[in-house]
Amino acid sequence: MSAAAQPSSGLSLPQYAQVAVPLHLTQTFTYRLPAALQPHARVGSRLLVPFGSKPTTAYIVALLPALEPGTSLVETDIKDAEALLDTEPLLTPEVLEITRWVSDYYAAPWGEVLKAALPAGINATVEQIVAITETGRAQLIETASDGPDETNTPNARTRGLQLLAAEGEFEIKTFCLRMAIASVPKWLRDLEREGLVQRTHRTRSEPAGTKTRKAVRHLDHETSAATPKLSAAQQRVITTLAANGNNMPLARLLALSETSAPTVRGLAKKKVVEIFDDEVRRDPLESADLPAHQQFSLTTPQGEALLAIEEQMKQRRFATFLLHGVTGSGKTEVYLRAMRFALQQGQSAMMLVPEIALTPILSRRLRASFGDQIALFHSTLTKGERFDEWSRLKRGEARIVIGTRSAVFAPAENLGLIIIDEEHDTSYRQQDSPYYNARDTAIVRARKESAVVVLGSATPSLESYHNAQAGKYQYLQLPERIASRPMARTELIDMRSVFARRGKPVVFSDELLAAIKDTHARGEQSIILLNRRGYSSFVLCRSCGESIHCPNCDVTLTYHRSDRTLVCHYCNHRQPAPSECPTCNGKYIYYVGEGTEQIEEQLRARFPSLHIARIDRDTTSRRRSFEQALLDFSSGKLDMLVGTQMLAKGHDFPNVTLVGVISVDAGLALPDFRSAERTFQLLTQVAGRAGRGDLAGRVLIQTYHPDHYVLRHACAQDYSGFYEEEIRYRRNHSYPPFVSLALLLIHDEDQRRVQANALELKRALVEANQDRICRILGPAPAPLARLRGEHRMQILIKSRSRKGLRRVAEAAMRKAENLGLDLRSINLEIDPVNML
């Protein structure tokens, strides 16, 4: 990035702005700054620029006093910027720097990364406006004076002119809707060419922004020579203001003083009070019941871990710690004390969590500890709440941020500490453009800002544990639970034996049903996990054997009984559940497999006295309901939670003594080299939800593969044993952490084009790999060969040299672009975590 010249007194004003646009383009663009914009332009501000056929919002990444020598830009080809959208930069230098790193490392368009770094709703959109000109009005009058034509029916272009003349300008999509046409017609372009209509662009801010309300403050009249005479109602207003700090919202003032708005306006005319617009914070925890703040005594391992973290923070020195603590060992208390130490040092802190399901209880605990110093960042906040939390952090009013993946870009100043809870979780990886891993991005951001990173997990990723073993990370261990509580006793239930006893497949073993009954007879709680949403996995016709597939993806549709729909969990295609087979019209529709919805229903039928709630992706889309379910379970109002892997992460429910896992076999069978690691992590994490209080815990895992090494180590809570066995497999088969990976995914609606492009890309990779520094596998159909209406093929690149891998991949992408391949149909993922 070119050096950014910031305008200031004594320096020449910038003549040009280098910008990144939020489109799938890797390069930046240069625009001329009109004289009116030059004094106010700042790096990090948004600029409205002409791009293609319409203006777009761009982000200033550098300001230039002149074109750099040797540039290929021609002065006459440079366009003028149209408007400056911010008086103060939205993007801090730290955020600009880390987004630039993300763009470079992950081969992600910088503009897309910058857009992702800002809260949703802050970006302006550009809309196209169509309006009639004076020439158009004149022609319309002239046509009307000629009398009706032979058909006495005006044609489309005349009706369009009449609509514009009658109602003024239209946004182009609204105009097409009113004209009952699908897209911009040729006759409208003809009218524009003839000068009868004109099309322009204007910006429109999205609905998020500062929220205000009317407020009243009492003006100081002590120095005034004469105090105005007040009515009884006006005196009540003054008395009420005095009792509330002389400053309060107008609506509340009227209610408490039992007066009307004209009374207050009368006081304003007498200069006794002032009515003004007061900014209102949309607080996501405004009505939350906060837990009582508790002070715990640290165990010896906790104290040693905290001391090591604080020592690095005191010296303001970058360091990465892997805090490996078994479930229930008190990692969260170490996090809280480290954040408190950061505040004492005048630093800010950041805590990332993988799932929004972790934030309701944790955020309340943090608010109880740190008050309004906490800012929340996650996807279920409203646009207004996200904007307000982001603004408070940027202004320095909040100094601790807790959030999910995108919170890594939060504008925290003087950042001293970053905590990545459940660092192993794949949710930290952004699965669509711009691709990035928030965990690794956080480590780089900490290095750039001389901050300390704490990676916490009971089941660290193999890469992180390997880095700790190699000395790249400092290793901290919490080997025991708080108060020496025992780990939950874990048992495998062989479903082959259950099938032999029952003579048919069943969902619940006798052992699990008996354990549920006994647990709740004792007044204790349970968690039942099945990592599969919906009611049934797929729908099958028993007459012809056909199953119902998604029309856009190579997957069967999942049945959701609550609204009797078939849903694709990849593209969200929905269609009504059939009463007969769409292939043969057969009446024998069979619903195969179980999802969390069916598990919940069956448990309610078997145990009608239990209070049960479900937690999965379907319920988390309803923010308040899923938050309330977690809070009700925590307070004991619910007896059981049924859900997916979201229940396995980080929750602390002291009264849970039973965890049942319905099936883990599907996870072990996934075509991904990380499937064993993920299954081990899921089982170990969910087992850790049991026995966290004073009562012993029990975990029952139903499986058809009880001899699998993953299940053996998970039952023993033996991470090191699993690591030693799995790391040998990774070394022997050249997988991370011993090699770096890049995945090239070629996708298009035309299958032949996908195949041809994949072969061209493979040739380009082979040509770029003359020194054979990389191993190139493929092209081959992706495990999901068709997704969201597109056919997919993939090429996997392995290399022991990260630089060599990047060089080969980028050279092949340049060659593909030169050959005319559409790069929008090729996804390059560096360090992919999902091979599906």
Side-chain angles (χ1 to χ4, degrees), residues 744-758:
L744 287 157
L745 180 72
I746 304 94
H747 54 94
D748 195 278
E749 293 180 358
D750 188 320
Q751 187 173 14
R752 291 184 179 179
R753 187 182 299 129
V754 169
Q755 294 170 342
N757 289 349

Side-chain angles (χ1 to χ4, degrees), residues 665-695:
D665 301 328
L668 288 171
L670 290 174
D672 191 319
F673 72 91
R674 288 190 174 92
S675 60
E677 178 185 9
R678 288 173 182 163
T679 302
F680 174 82
Q681 289 166 342
L682 176 65
L683 292 177
T684 304
Q685 292 285 341
V686 77
R689 301 315 108 202
R692 297 174 73 92
D694 297 328
L695 303 170

Side-chain angles (χ1 to χ4, degrees), residues 197-414:
V197 303
Q198 63 180 7
R199 283 193 283 173
T200 57
H201 295 87
R202 70 182 179 198
T203 58
R204 177 175 59 84
S205 294
E206 305 243 349
T210 302
K211 182 180 179 181
T212 61
R213 64 184 173 191
K214 292 296 181 183
V216 181
R217 68 165 65 97
H218 187 201
L219 298 176
D220 185 8
H221 280 270
E222 290 183 4
T223 59
S224 177
T227 301
K229 186 176 180 180
L230 305 180
S231 67
Q234 289 175 332
Q235 188 59 57
R236 288 201 305 274
V237 170
I238 299 302
T239 302
T240 305
L241 278 171
N244 290 273
N246 287 319
N247 189 330
M248 61 191 303
L250 175 60
R252 179 169 169 76
L253 174 61
L254 296 178
L256 292 181
S257 64
E258 297 180 344
T259 54
S260 61
T263 301
V264 179
R265 287 198 293 268
L267 283 170
K269 288 181 180 178
K270 294 178 179 181
K271 306 297 184 184
V272 177
V273 302
E274 178 187 15
I275 303 173
F276 63 98
D277 288 327
D278 187 28
E279 184 175 332
V280 181
R281 175 190 171 194
R282 288 158 288 207
D283 183 1
L285 294 177
E286 184 175 16
S287 58
D289 293 327
L290 301 182
H293 177 60
Q294 295 178 284
Q295 187 70 31
F296 298 97
S297 297
L298 296 183
T299 64
T300 299
Q302 282 179 310
E304 292 173 350
L306 181 62
L307 187 63
I309 294 167
E310 290 179 348
E311 188 61 34
Q312 296 298 324
M313 292 172 66
K314 282 180 189 175
Q315 300 180 39
R316 199 62 207 240
R317 188 164 59 196
F318 165 69
T320 303
F321 292 95
L322 176 61
L323 182 61
H324 183 187
V326 299
T327 54
S329 59
K331 294 186 291 295
T332 302
E333 185 64 24
V334 176
Y335 300 158
L336 290 173
R337 299 206 183 197
M339 286 189 278
R340 187 171 291 113
F341 185 79
L343 295 184
Q344 293 169 357
Q345 298 292 306
Q347 302 168 4
S348 60
M350 175 184 294
M351 182 175 180
L352 301 186
V353 295
E355 294 274 5
I356 55 176
L358 297 180
T359 57
I361 295 173
L362 181 59
S363 59
R364 284 162 172 77
R365 184 175 175 186
L366 289 171
R367 174 63 69 83
S369 297
F370 299 108
D372 283 345
Q373 296 274 41
I374 294 291
L376 292 181
F377 281 63
H378 59 76
S379 61
T380 63
L381 299 183
T382 65
K383 286 183 179 181
E385 287 172 339
R386 274 180 276 182
F387 177 80
D388 286 357
E389 296 295 272
W390 179 88
S391 300
R392 288 195 320 114
L393 195 66
K394 190 172 186 297
R395 291 194 299 261
E397 296 171 7
R399 294 168 57 203
I400 296 177
V401 57
I402 174 174
T404 47
R405 182 175 57 234
S406 62
V408 73
F409 300 119
E413 292 185 358
N414 194 26

Side-chain angles (χ1 to χ4, degrees), residues 468-496:
Q469 297 293 96
K472 187 176 179 180
Y473 298 164
Q474 297 183 47
Y475 184 67
L476 304 173
Q477 190 174 20
L478 305 179
E480 295 182 352
R481 283 184 158 183
I482 297 295
S484 299
R485 296 184 182 114
M487 301 298 291
R489 178 167 52 93
T490 305
E491 307 165 36
L492 293 178
I493 300 175
D494 188 346
M495 295 303 287
R496 298 172 301 182

Side-chain angles (χ1 to χ4, degrees), residues 71-126:
T71 181
S72 60
L73 292 172
V74 179
E75 172 69 31
T76 55
D77 292 339
I78 299 177
K79 297 178 180 179
D80 284 355
E82 294 189 3
L84 187 66
L85 300 180
D86 307 305
T87 55
E88 290 294 329
L90 294 179
L91 296 156
T92 65
E94 294 81 9
V95 172
L96 277 169
E97 188 171 358
I98 192 60
T99 54
R100 178 59 185 263
W101 177 85
V102 168
S103 174
D104 289 343
Y105 182 82
Y106 291 104
W110 194 4
E112 287 190 353
V113 182
L114 288 168
K115 183 177 181 180
L118 292 172
I122 201 171
N123 288 297
T125 57
V126 180

